[in-house]
């Protein structure tokens, strides 16, 4: 009975000092911004001042927001780590928990777990040109990296942003757009799907406008996020423009619960989007099974 | 030619016309059959009818909507098909039924109980059917069981052993086992006081693991992936491991099946921990039979609880 | 080898009553047609003949348990303001599972790395699991025969495997030969009389006899890497998974009876002003498991879900955890499947398909 004598794995244990990864920080909502008819932005501050002071994260990492009694959902921290007055999350209303979040007002207490997941590989992007392509709520994860790069502007080459939404009303962060458009160190292009009165910018689907903009793939990284159908055609457009899979970065959405690689639902093959993602290069995505 | 061969011939004959033929094959041990989906003559050669063909193949029919399939049915399976048809859940022209005179099927719980200390079902290495007896080999010995002692309860009261709807019927129709359902199983349960019944259910449901095999084995469950058991919107049940929630689900499930359940018993058979969940449905089936003179899956027309009539012919509330 | 001890069957209830003074004791009990692990009733004799229908995993990983509770309380100073408190549950009490099977004990090895931060990956540690795990002693009852659905030998196990057990108990004639395998196990059995040489030999003979009833591993020696590759190679073969899942009901019997399935859900259950955040078992066989907020679902068909279940056990998990399957071969998924879906056959069919292609 050889198997009986084989060294069995050690039984694991923990002690009182092991942190409980399921306990959220309590956080006060300091500001709620109505972005669009179905998106709200929440600015929160952890109630434990020391925790807030020592809270660190990388651009692209996510947090779990709780409304106790409803549940917990995952959102990207869309404020940059260079601006730590508050943590910002933007929430599109889609179900039970996001509805509960939309009912939250300034002064209310919610729960925050994080930071979770991986982050944008911004170190390897230093010295390169950057093209952001964001669609709808997909602008949220891009915002954190965009602001982080603008706060470390000298580390990067030319930075371009193509941001699209269905209509002007569906455009989140509209209050920031004048500043972005006005900066001479940022090439900002806005587009909407169909003509709308008073719209001064592009009209057309994001992949088409991107082809029109025709950014050079040379020494450039493209970062894209948005609805699945937009991502699909944007990836095609980028490849057409000569971007190699290693030069394209995107983020994935999956149903998540634990956020720490245990509960088992966000896997694609042996990759867990909650810990191995949500940020992947297209090259990495091509290596994993096709189950998006 | 035995029944098995005759059925195989009928299956092979229809194979060219259909996407697949649903029937039974062998399972992981000699006491278990398994659903079999036949697309070739080789598949058909693996078809196995008889005492261990317990699964109700009607369960799978809605998955094949839009494709033509054939299905081999016991009498009880045909009732499920009948009910699926009356509710428009499958189309008559997409389903071809192969019936045969069913001689009853096994109840594995009874076999396990009959074996007792002699060993577990999984130790049985061979099974022979000798007339009214089953001869099992386990631990190097043979054990003889009376088939009647290990036959499913539903077969002991079967009124419809010959598929009542069949496009092909193989073999000679047999006499039904019973002419009416006396619901004797309910009488035993109803002899208990209400407190005893409550205690009974609390004890039984306390070992429920919430796998929902009962629900998923039910050919007439229509909610499928949108069940209140796990839905959070609406959130009717908590996910707590509580008897209250588990029993609540069973009551919802049974109520949803009132006047629709044909008593195939797959819910109870599928339960890995042997909770007698069919009892609840049997009780409602008896009420519907009494109130509306309707036998699900047998009587044609719209099921009484899926429609509204000003006066039910059997209730006559205006002449009270 | 540690000193062997002997516990006459007639004294089993009394011995367990003694343990119950310091531990919560779980033992197999017959209920209806099932055998389930229950907190033991005082004076009762555990079921030692028929093997438990369910695994013992719920002792360490309960079907549902509280992660914390929350309470809102009106702040008397500020109108409309509510104070919120979160309270963590009490730590688990020391527990003994008497009569776990060797596959149950080995099943926890599939949980361990995942719940302990994935080793060198350094992920978060699941304190709820780890506390119960270190607080639970396993008295494994050696199997005397293999069932048709048993395949622990595919996964490195055997009917009387000592892996993961604190005590190995072997039924011989009219008593149990008890072999302590860990200090915790020694603590449990130290009060028992020493076994005679004959009883020790009988236990050894029982192990050998049980081993002889195991069906040999097909195509032995089994190559775990070849299996992992073969299962992964079928990923885009929709026809393969449709055929394998044709009879599957997409229920959770397999996952919930499985000693190694560890997936869970988290939900808030609230009455408005207070409630609990609950962790409860979940199953990858359910459509809702992967339904995203957008309405998109990567695994709508049961074929995709069964693919994930088999893929996880035999390919994804091994690739992350040293080549070990997240399957201990207990066969409960086969034995209790209403449709007799046989995970061994799926693996073998994947291997066969891989061999055809190459």
């Amino acid at each position: 009975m050889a198997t009986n004598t084989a060294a069995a794995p050690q039984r694991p244990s923990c002690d009182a000092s092991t942190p409980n990864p399921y306990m959220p920080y309590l956080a006060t909502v300091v500001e709620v911004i109505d972005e669009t008819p179905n998106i709200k932005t929440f600015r929160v501050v952890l109630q434990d001042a020391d925790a807030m002071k020592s809270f660190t994260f990388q651009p692209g990492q996510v947090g779990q927001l709780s409304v106790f009694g409803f549940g917990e959902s995952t959102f990207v921290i869309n404020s940059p780590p260079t601006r730590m007055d508050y943590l910002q999350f933007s929430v599109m209303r889609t179900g039970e928990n996001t509805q509960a979040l939309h009912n939250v007002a300034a002064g209310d207490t919610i729960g925050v777990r994080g930071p979770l997941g991986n982050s944008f590989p911004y170190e390897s992007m230093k010295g390169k040109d950057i093209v952001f392509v964001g669609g709808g709520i997909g602008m949220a994860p891009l915002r954190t990296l965009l602001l982080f790069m603008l706060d470390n502007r000298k580390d990067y080459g030319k930075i371009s942003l193509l941001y699209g939404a269905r209509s002007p009303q569906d455009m989140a962060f509209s209050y920031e757009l004048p500043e972005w458009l006005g900066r001479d160190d940022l090439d900002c292009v806005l587009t909407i799907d169909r003509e709308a009165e008073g719209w001064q910018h592009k009209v057309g689907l994001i992949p088409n406008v991107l082809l029109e903009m025709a950014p050079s793939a040379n020494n450039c990284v493209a970062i894209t996020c948005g609805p699945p159908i937009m991502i699909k055609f944007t990836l095609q457009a980028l490849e057409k423009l000569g971007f190699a899979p290693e030069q394209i970065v995107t983020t994935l959405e999956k149903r998540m619960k634990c956020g720490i690689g245990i509960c088992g639902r966000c896997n694609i093959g042996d990759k867990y989007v909650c810990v191995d993602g949500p940020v992947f290069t297209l090259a990495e995505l091509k290596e994993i099974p096709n189950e998006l | 030619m035995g029944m098995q061969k005759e059925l195989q011939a009928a299956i092979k004959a229809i194979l060219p016309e259909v996407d697949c033929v649903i029937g039974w094959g062998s399972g992981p041990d000699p006491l278990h059959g398994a659903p079999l989906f036949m697309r070739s003559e080789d598949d058909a050669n693996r078809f196995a009818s008889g005492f261990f063909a317990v699964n109700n193949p009607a369960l799978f029919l809605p998955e094949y909507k839009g494709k033509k399939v054939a299905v081999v049915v016991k009498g009880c399976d045909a009732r499920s098909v009948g009910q699926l048809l009356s509710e428009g859940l499958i189309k008559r022209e997409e389903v071809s039924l192969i019936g045969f005179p069913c001689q009853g099927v096994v109840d594995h719980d009874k076999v396990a109980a009959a074996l007792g200390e002699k060993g577990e079902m999984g130790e049985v290495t061979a099974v022979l059917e000798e007339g009214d007896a089953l001869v099992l080999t386990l631990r190097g010995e043979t054990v003889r069981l009376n088939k009647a002692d290990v036959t499913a309860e539903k077969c002991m009261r079967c009124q419809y052993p010959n598929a009542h709807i069949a496009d092909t019927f193989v073999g000679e129709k047999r006499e039904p086992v019973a002419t009416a359902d006396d619901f004797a199983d309910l009488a035993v349960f109803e002899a208990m006081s209400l407190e005893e019944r409550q205690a009974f259910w609390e004890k039984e449901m306390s070992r429920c693991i919430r796998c929902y095999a009962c629900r998923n084995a039910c050919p007439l469950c229509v909610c499928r992936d949108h069940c209140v058991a796990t839905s959070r919107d609406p959130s009717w049940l908590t996910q707590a491991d509580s008897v209250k929630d588990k029993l609540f689900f069973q009551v919802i499930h049974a109520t949803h099946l009132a006047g629709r359940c044909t008593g195939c018993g797959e819910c109870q058979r599928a339960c890995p921990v042997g909770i007698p969940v069919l009892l609840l449905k049997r009780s409602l089936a008896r009420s519907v039979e009494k109130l509306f003179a309707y036998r699900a899956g047998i009587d044609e027309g719209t099921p009484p609880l899926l429609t509204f009539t000003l006066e039910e012919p059997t209730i006559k509330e205006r002449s009270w | 080898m540690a000193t062997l001890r002997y516990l006459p069957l007639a004294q089993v209830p009394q011995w367990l009553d003694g343990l119950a003074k310091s531990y919560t004791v779980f033992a197999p009990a017959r209920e209806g047609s099932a055998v389930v692990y229950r907190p033991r009733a005082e004076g009762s004799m555990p079921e030692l003949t028929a093997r438990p229908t369910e695994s013992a995993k719920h002792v360490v990983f309960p079907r549902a348990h509280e992660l914390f509770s929350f309470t809102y309380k009106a702040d008397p100073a500020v109108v409309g303001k509510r104070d919120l408190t979160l309270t963590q549950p009490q730590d688990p009490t020391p527990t003994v599972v008497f009569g776990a099977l060797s596959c149950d004990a080995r099943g926890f090895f599939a949980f361990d790395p995942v719940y302990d931060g994935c080793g060198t990956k350094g992920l978060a540690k699941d304190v709820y699991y780890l506390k119960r795990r270190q607080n639970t002693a396993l008295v494994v009852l050696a199997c005397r025969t293999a069932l048709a659905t048993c395949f622990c030998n595919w996964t490195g196990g055997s009917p009387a495997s000592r892996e993961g057990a604190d005590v190995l108990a072997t039924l011989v004639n009219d008593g149990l030969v008890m072999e302590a395998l860990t200090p915790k196990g020694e603590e449990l059995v130290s009060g028992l009389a020493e076994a005679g040489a004959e009883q020790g030999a009988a236990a050894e003979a029982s192990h050998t006899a049980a081993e002889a009833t195991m069906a040999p591993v097909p195509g032995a020696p089994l190559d775990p890497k070849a299996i992992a590759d073969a299962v992964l190679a079928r990923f885009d073969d929709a026809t393969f998974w449709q055929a394998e899942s044709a009879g599957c009901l997409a229920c959770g019997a397999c996952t919930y009876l499985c000693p190694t399935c560890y997936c869970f859900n988290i939900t808030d259950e609230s009455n408005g002003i207070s409630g609990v955040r609950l962790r409860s078992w979940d199953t990858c066989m359910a459509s809702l498991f992967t339904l995203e907020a957008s309405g998109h679902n990567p695994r709508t068909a049961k074929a995709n879900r069964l693919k994930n279940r088999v893929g996880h056990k035999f390919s994804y998990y091994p690739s992350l955890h040293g080549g070990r399957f997240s399957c201990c071969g207990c066969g409960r998924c086969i034995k209790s499947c209403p449709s007799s879906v046989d995970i061994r056959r799926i693996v073998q069919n994947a291997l066969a398909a891989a061999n055809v292609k190459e």
Side-chain angles (χ1 to χ4, degrees):
Chain A
M1 281 189 281
T3 50
N4 281 1
T5 52
Q10 279 294 307
R11 210 177 285 191
S13 62
C14 68
D15 57 40
S17 69
T18 313
N20 182 344
Y22 298 98
M23 286 306 286
Y25 295 110
L26 293 184
T28 304
V29 176
V30 293
E31 192 180 352
V32 181
I33 304 167
D34 285 317
E35 298 279 4
T36 76
N38 65 352
I39 299 172
K40 286 191 183 190
T41 288
F42 300 88
R43 293 179 170 168
V44 307
V45 174
L46 305 187
Q47 289 173 358
D48 178 343
D50 292 337
M52 186 68 199
K53 209 184 274 172
S54 58
F55 191 95
T56 55
F57 71 99
Q58 300 289 320
Q61 285 196 289
V62 300
Q64 291 255 19
L65 298 189
S66 291
V67 182
F68 299 98
F70 293 89
E72 212 174 23
S73 309
T74 314
F75 307 94
V76 69
I77 306 169
N78 73 49
S79 51
T82 41
R83 305 178 192 185
M84 287 299 289
D85 295 340
Y86 51 78
L87 301 170
Q88 177 168 314
F89 300 89
S90 297
V91 177
M92 188 159 91
R93 195 178 60 234
T94 53
E96 186 203 16
N97 195 39
T98 50
Q99 177 61 61
L101 275 165
H102 272 232
N103 294 341
V104 162
D108 287 353
T109 296
I110 63 170
V112 177
R113 277 202 298 140
L116 304 168
N118 72 352
S119 55
F120 289 111
Y122 60 87
E123 284 291 340
S124 67
M125 298 179 190
K126 282 183 176 167
K128 292 184 178 168
D129 292 346
I130 309 291
V131 177
F132 289 99
V133 187
I137 189 68
M139 189 59 217
L142 302 190
R143 180 183 186 271
T144 178
L145 184 61
L146 173 69
L147 296 186
F148 178 83
M149 287 182 165
L150 292 176
D151 290 347
N152 296 283
R153 190 63 191 85
K154 60 176 187 343
D155 290 342
Y156 303 93
K158 184 182 173 192
I159 301 180
S160 319
L161 166 67
L162 166 59
Y163 174 27
R166 265 184 313 198
S167 73
Q169 291 73 37
D170 291 309
M171 204 150 243
F173 315 115
S174 53
Y175 44 91
E176 288 176 319
L177 300 180
E179 190 215 320
W180 294 356
L181 287 162
R183 286 183 79 126
D184 50 17
D185 59 355
L186 171 67
D187 177 18
C188 178
V189 177
L190 306 178
T191 183
I192 55 172
D193 288 0
R194 251 168 277 138
E195 293 282 358
E197 217 178 291
W199 182 251
Q200 307 281 328
H201 309 277
K202 296 265 184 200
V203 175
L205 297 175
I206 291 166
N208 299 340
V209 178
L210 178 63
L211 286 173
E212 223 176 274
M213 283 168 69
S216 161
N218 187 28
N219 194 35
C220 184
V221 178
I223 303 140
T224 182
C225 189
I229 188 79
M230 171 226 138
I231 298 250
K232 185 180 166 192
F233 288 103
T234 299
L235 294 180
Q236 288 176 10
L238 287 168
E239 288 192 300
K240 206 181 276 182
L241 291 167
F243 283 80
E246 294 74 22
Q247 290 173 280
I248 303 174
V249 178
T250 188
T251 71
L252 295 186
E253 181 199 355
K254 286 277 164 192
R255 187 183 183 92
M256 288 180 195
K257 285 288 176 180
C258 73
I260 51 177
I262 305 179
C263 82
R265 53 175 47 57
C266 70
N267 73 306
I268 305 171
D270 64 4
K271 293 283 184 285
Y272 286 79
V273 173
C274 70
V275 289
D276 300 314
V279 177
F280 292 91
T281 66
L282 183 57
E284 287 167 333
L285 290 182
K286 288 188 175 200
E287 287 297 307
I288 64 180
N290 179 21
E291 194 183 52
L292 300 179
Chain B
M1 199 157 61
M3 179 57 58
Q4 166 105 349
K5 291 265 176 248
E6 285 186 58
L7 280 168
Q8 283 176 340
I11 291 164
K12 287 175 187 174
I14 202 160
L15 267 176
E17 298 165 36
V18 295
D19 181 72
C20 77
V21 183
I22 311 175
W24 309 275
S26 54
D29 64 53
L31 285 167
H32 284 82
L36 180 67
F37 300 78
M38 295 166 273
R39 291 191 163 82
S40 66
E41 298 235 336
D42 273 356
D43 292 342
N45 290 333
R46 288 162 43 220
F47 172 84
S49 64
F51 199 55
F52 302 103
V54 290
N55 290 73
N56 182 347
L59 170 71
F60 302 103
L61 291 177
E63 283 179 39
Y64 290 83
K65 229 186 223 168
K67 287 178 185 158
K68 171 111 197 211
V69 293
V71 58
V72 189
V73 282
K74 308 186 287 289
C76 48
D77 306 333
R79 276 188 79 168
S80 300
V81 176
Q83 186 65 20
L84 287 168
L85 288 169
S86 358
E87 295 186 27
L89 294 167
I90 54 173
K91 289 187 178 145
R92 186 65 186 94
E93 64 273 20
E94 288 178 357
V95 182
S96 184
L97 294 119
I98 303 171
F100 65 99
C102 177
Q103 306 292 324
V105 294
V106 69
D107 180 326
H108 288 110
D109 289 350
K110 289 185 180 177
V111 175
L115 285 175
E117 300 278 312
K118 296 191 188 90
E120 294 178 67
M121 280 193 289
E123 296 175 71
V124 172
T125 51
V127 177
L128 277 174
E129 292 184 55
E130 286 179 8
D132 292 338
L134 279 188
V135 183
L136 314 183
T137 308
L138 76 161
R139 297 190 185 173
E141 291 175 22
T142 56
V143 177
R144 265 185 107 77
L145 301 176
N146 274 332
K147 261 184 167 180
D149 295 338
V150 294
T151 295
E153 282 302 307
K154 66 174 176 182
C155 308
M156 309 302 279
R157 55 176 178 252
C158 181
Q159 302 169 70
Y160 313 99
N162 312 299
H164 71 294
I165 33 173
D167 300 287
T168 312
F169 195 89
V170 174
E172 292 290 314
K173 293 199 172 165
R174 63 166 288 198
E175 282 298 308
V177 177
T179 50
D181 190 341
D182 58 7
F183 293 99
D185 50 336
L186 290 180
V188 174
F189 177 71
E190 286 166 351
M192 291 194 263
S193 70
L194 283 179
E195 291 73 24
E196 286 168 338
R197 288 190 221 176
Q198 181 68 23
F200 170 85
W201 283 118
E202 283 180 9
K203 178 158 197 318
E204 292 295 316
M205 292 313 298
S206 72
R207 67 174 180 276
C208 166
I209 56 170
R210 288 185 298 180
C211 67
Y212 299 114
C214 50
R215 173 192 74 192
N216 289 25
C218 175
L220 290 158
C221 168
V222 288
C223 304
R224 303 270 155 151
D225 294 337
H226 308 276
C227 178
V228 290
T230 42
S231 158
R232 303 302 296 172
D233 189 13
S235 180
W236 285 5
L237 278 78
T238 83
Q239 298 307 306
D241 185 26
S242 83
V243 168
K244 191 179 81 180
D245 282 302
K246 293 169 183 178
L247 187 54
F248 185 27
F249 169 74
Q250 289 302 331
V251 172
I252 294 172
H253 187 44
T255 311
H256 204 174
L257 285 159
R260 306 175 60 236
C261 172
T262 62
C264 76
E266 284 290 87
C267 50
Q268 186 159 318
R269 186 189 67 80
C271 178
V273 291
I275 302 172
V277 289
L278 182 63
L279 264 182
L280 297 166
K281 290 139 202 166
R282 290 269 295 155
S283 172
L284 286 164
R286 183 183 56 186
S287 299
V288 170
E289 200 172 318
K290 233 190 238 169
L291 283 172
F292 303 101
Y294 178 79
R295 297 160 303 169
I298 294 287
D299 295 319
E300 291 192 0
T302 310
L305 292 176
L306 299 186
T307 184
F308 174 77
T309 30
L310 268 180
E311 180 155 87
E312 287 292 340
T314 49
I315 299 182
K316 312 253 185 251
E317 67 262 47
R318 289 173 191 214
S319 47
W320 280 351
Chain C
M1 190 186 267
T3 317
L4 294 181
R5 292 167 203 277
Y6 188 72
L7 174 62
L9 275 184
Q11 288 173 27
V12 168
Q14 189 193 335
W15 182 66
L16 290 173
D17 286 346
L19 285 189
K21 293 195 178 100
S22 328
Y23 301 91
T24 304
V25 179
F26 281 78
R30 177 169 284 285
E31 288 188 17
S33 59
V35 177
V36 293
Y37 289 97
R38 288 285 200 188
R40 183 180 156 273
E42 200 182 337
S44 66
M45 184 70 187
E47 167 72 43
L48 299 177
T49 311
R51 264 155 281 198
T53 315
E54 62 179 4
S55 77
K57 80 172 167 189
H58 64 87
V59 176
V60 177
F61 182 60
R63 289 186 198 106
H65 75 88
E66 188 183 314
L67 293 172
F68 55 82
S69 60
F70 50 85
T71 315
Y72 285 102
K73 224 167 99 190
D75 183 337
V78 190
V79 177
K81 190 167 177 280
R82 297 194 305 171
D83 288 330
L84 173 71
T85 12
L86 305 185
T87 314
Q88 298 193 50
Q90 288 193 329
D91 283 349
T93 50
T95 300
V96 170
V97 183
F98 175 82
L101 302 184
S102 69
C103 44
D104 290 335
R106 294 175 63 253
F108 290 116
F109 290 139
F111 276 72
D112 289 345
V114 179
Y115 281 71
D116 190 36
C118 287
T120 52
K121 262 187 151 180
L123 303 180
K125 286 175 187 281
D126 193 303
V127 292
Y128 302 94
Y129 172 82
L130 293 173
K131 281 179 189 167
R132 281 202 178 78
R133 178 79 166 113
Q134 72 195 80
N135 256 309
T136 304
L138 302 170
V139 179
V140 164
L141 180 66
C143 289
R144 290 176 296 158
T145 56
L147 304 178
T149 45
C150 290
F151 63 111
C152 59
N153 52 348
W154 289 37
T155 69
S158 65
S161 167
R162 292 170 173 84
E163 263 194 359
D166 292 287
V167 176
L168 181 69
T170 308
L171 190 59
V172 295
N173 300 322
D174 51 359
L176 294 168
V177 173
M178 309 282 260
E179 180 186 349
L181 300 161
T182 64
K184 204 191 270 180
E186 184 57 39
E187 201 181 295
L188 296 179
V189 300
S190 58
L192 297 175
E194 278 190 28
E198 238 171 74
Q199 288 158 335
E204 199 53 49
S206 167
H207 300 168
T208 312
E211 188 76 25
T213 64
M214 280 303 295
V217 181
L222 179 136
D223 178 356
K225 181 75 172 64
I227 288 181
D229 291 347
V231 170
L232 189 60
R234 293 274 67 72
F235 197 92
D236 293 318
D237 188 346
T239 314
F240 178 86
W241 293 106
Q242 275 156 14
E244 296 299 341
S245 67
C248 171
L249 312 184
C251 72
C254 50
T255 50
Y256 290 171
L257 297 175
C258 174
T260 68
C261 272
Y262 58 71
C263 292
F264 61 83
N265 195 358
I266 299 176
T267 54
D268 281 11
E269 309 294 357
S270 160
N271 63 11
I273 54 165
S274 67
V276 294
R277 179 155 294 169
L278 209 61
R279 157 153 75 192
S280 55
W281 287 3
D282 206 348
T283 168
C284 62
M285 299 309 300
S287 169
L288 198 60
F289 190 67
T290 48
L291 177 67
E292 292 163 19
S294 63
H296 173 68
N297 191 340
R299 298 182 204 139
T300 44
K302 67 181 181 184
N304 297 20
R305 305 202 284 269
L306 186 65
K307 171 171 73 179
N308 185 70
R309 180 161 197 275
V310 179
H312 179 256
K313 291 196 175 299
F314 292 96
S315 172
Y316 321 148
Y317 182 99
S319 100
L320 295 171
H321 302 290
R324 253 184 122 97
F325 297 142
S326 67
C327 170
C328 57
C330 78
R332 287 187 179 95
C333 58
I334 309 165
K335 189 174 148 195
S336 288
C337 176
S339 282
S340 296
V341 173
D342 191 334
I343 198 164
R344 296 169 298 189
R345 195 200 57 206
I346 300 175
V347 169
Q348 284 177 302
N349 287 350
L351 273 173
N355 291 336
V356 167
K357 296 278 148 69
E358 282 149 23

